[in-house]
């Protein structure tokens, strides 16, 4: 994006109006790290994770404990632990996503047994409903004199 500005010092001595000087972007300098080939160059300018997953989980747990105890407000607890507010929310979001993606594999046989019980109950209820509807239908036919 270029912009033109009037340069009062650029006015000539013959009384002409000042010339407009174009200003553009400064040329970008290329660092030595980005010139080097390979993956190491792309990681050179990036910061690594300050906390491991276990440490972040532990810090989240301590914040939750402070909140449950009622001794601190959320912002105070975050400051006491030593992380930023946005970091807390990012960690909380990723830990919630990780919990929902991990299925509870307590025992697959229990799930199968529960499913079989539900199917048996469903069949029993269907038969009961069919018998009730047949009896109501027969009663209505008798009242109407159709049978």
């Amino acid at each position: 994006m270029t912009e033109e500005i009037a340069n009062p010092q650029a006015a000539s001595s013959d009384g002409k109006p000042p010339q407009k000087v174009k200003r553009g972007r400064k040329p970008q300098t290329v660092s030595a790290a980005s010139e080097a080939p390979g993956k190491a160059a792309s990681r050179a300018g990036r910061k690594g994770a300050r906390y491991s997953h276990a440490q972040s989980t532990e810090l989240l747990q301590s914040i939750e404990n402070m909140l449950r105890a009622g001794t601190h407000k959320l912002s105070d607890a975050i400051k006491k632990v030593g992380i930023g507010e946005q970091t807390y929310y990012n960690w909380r979001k990723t830990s919630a996503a990780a919990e929902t993606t991990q299925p509870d594999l307590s025992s697959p046989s229990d799930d199968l047994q529960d499913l079989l019980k539900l199917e048996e109950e469903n069949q029993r209820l269907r038969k009961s409903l069919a018998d009730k509807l047949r009896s109501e239908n027969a009663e209505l036919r008798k009242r109407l004199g159709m049978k």
Side-chain angles (χ1 to χ4, degrees), residues 53-99:
H53 179 69
Q55 289 173 328
S56 64
T57 306
E58 183 180 322
L59 291 175
L60 279 176
Q61 196 68 281
S62 64
I63 291 172
E64 294 299 321
N65 290 339
M66 286 183 219
L67 293 176
R68 270 191 228 118
T71 57
H72 294 83
K73 292 182 181 178
L74 178 62
S75 58
D76 296 335
I78 291 171
K79 286 179 186 176
K80 186 172 182 176
V81 169
I83 60 172
E85 213 170 301
Q86 192 60 48
T87 303
Y88 167 75
Y89 287 113
N90 287 337
W91 284 357
R92 198 174 81 178
K93 182 174 67 172
T94 56
S95 69
E99 288 174 4

